[in-house]
Amino acid sequence: MSQQNAPILFTGPDDLRQYISREKRMGKRIGLVPTMGALHEGHLSLVRASCEACDITVVSIFVNPTQFAPNEDFAKYPRTLASDLELLHSCNGTIVVFAPSVETMYPSCFNTFVEVGGITERLEGEYRPTHFRGVATIVLKLFLLVQQDVAFFGQKDFQQCAVIKKMVSDLNVPTQITVCPIIREPDGLAMSSRNKYLSQEERKQAVVLSESLLLAQKMFSHGEKDTDTVCRKVREHILTARDAKIDYAAIVDPETFEDCTELASGVVILLAVRIGATRLIDNIILNYSHSLIFCHKKCP
Ligand code: AMP
């Protein structure tokens, strides 16, 4: 039976743990959706997927300081707990929100980190060298607290999903991982809490990311196999936006993250582009079967 009760809010790990172990004893299936809040339809698509698959959905809302470098946007990252709770109230299901303080998750004596090797060294890892260490650490802490059956992540953070899957496999973490499609604004821009930083003019320019990915998918559908040709076109298109600066535009194997020399179904194109001061990421998994799969707002 679906429910539309107000979310239950926990800020302390002990209360959350007690609640979960009681529910698990009653045979309830637990889903976890880790987020940094400032929720949008992208996050809600994960929450809905969890509500469909599980009896209880734990949504964590925590702006995790260890995944931000000192020069990044930790201080100005949007924090909107009241409206996040309202949005979650509109989802059908039993939702528990875990919104701890920084001191709760990282007391001053905290000194243990999770390092995933290999795939963290390229792309996001190159531009944000401490990022995945912070992500893996907080995600493992959440996994240990919630002991969920399934955790839901968005393809939007493609490399992050691979890092989490690797951590789960290497450390034998007993959880299933489900990756959900990227939800986009009607013009194709991937939804992100950071889109709020864009000025009106930058917001218009930001559409070049998704446009360039669709261009690549079209070239592939028309038989283009050469990655250099496609990568050049992708870059050219992105740079038609006046304020765009490319951190990377890479065509890689989805498991090793090594550059591909030939396009094939399943190969992924990963972008990180700064529009003015705002850094945006996006990606597409090339496919033969449907030439253009783009998931727009409020996917069923
Ligand atoms: P964040 O709050 O940005 O850390 O994101 C929390 C989760 O939501 C991550 O698993 C993201 O990949 C996912 N997510 C963020 N944006 C989107 C989107 N546009 N579509 C689908 N999932 C998303």
Side-chain angles (χ1 to χ4, degrees), residues 102-211:
V102 171
E103 295 69 35
T104 303
M105 296 311 269
Y106 299 108
S108 57
C109 55
F110 186 90
N111 213 358
T112 303
F113 291 89
V114 181
E115 297 260 9
V116 177
I119 55 169
T120 53
E121 280 156 30
R122 287 213 62 207
L123 305 166
E124 278 303 277
E126 225 171 292
Y127 285 85
R128 308 182 72 190
T130 55
H131 175 67
F132 287 128
R133 177 190 198 242
V135 169
T137 302
I138 194 66
V139 169
L140 187 61
K141 273 172 78 76
L142 290 168
F143 283 4
L144 291 170
L145 265 172
V146 176
Q147 307 209 358
Q148 73 285 346
D149 297 279
V150 199
F152 295 81
F153 293 88
Q155 187 202 313
K156 163 83 177 13
D157 295 271
F158 187 89
Q159 198 175 359
Q160 173 176 291
C161 292
V163 171
I164 302 298
K165 284 183 186 164
K166 181 81 178 118
M167 176 184 78
V168 162
S169 153
D170 284 354
L171 300 181
N172 306 102
V173 184
T175 185
Q176 192 185 317
I177 301 291
T178 295
V179 177
C180 300
I182 304 174
I183 305 298
R184 299 174 178 281
E185 298 287 355
D187 67 356
L189 177 66
M191 291 197 168
S192 164
S193 309
R194 289 190 167 97
N195 292 350
K196 291 189 172 137
Y197 299 154
L198 298 166
S199 69
Q200 248 183 14
E201 174 49 34
E202 289 168 341
R203 171 64 187 82
K204 282 188 207 146
Q205 294 183 39
V207 77
V208 291
L209 278 86
S210 55
E211 282 176 353

Side-chain angles (χ1 to χ4, degrees), residues 33 42-52 57 59 88 91 95:
V33 181
H43 298 115
L44 295 185
S45 71
L46 309 188
V47 175
R48 291 192 191 106
S50 174
C51 289
E52 267 179 34
T57 294
V59 181
L88 291 171
C91 296
I95 296 177

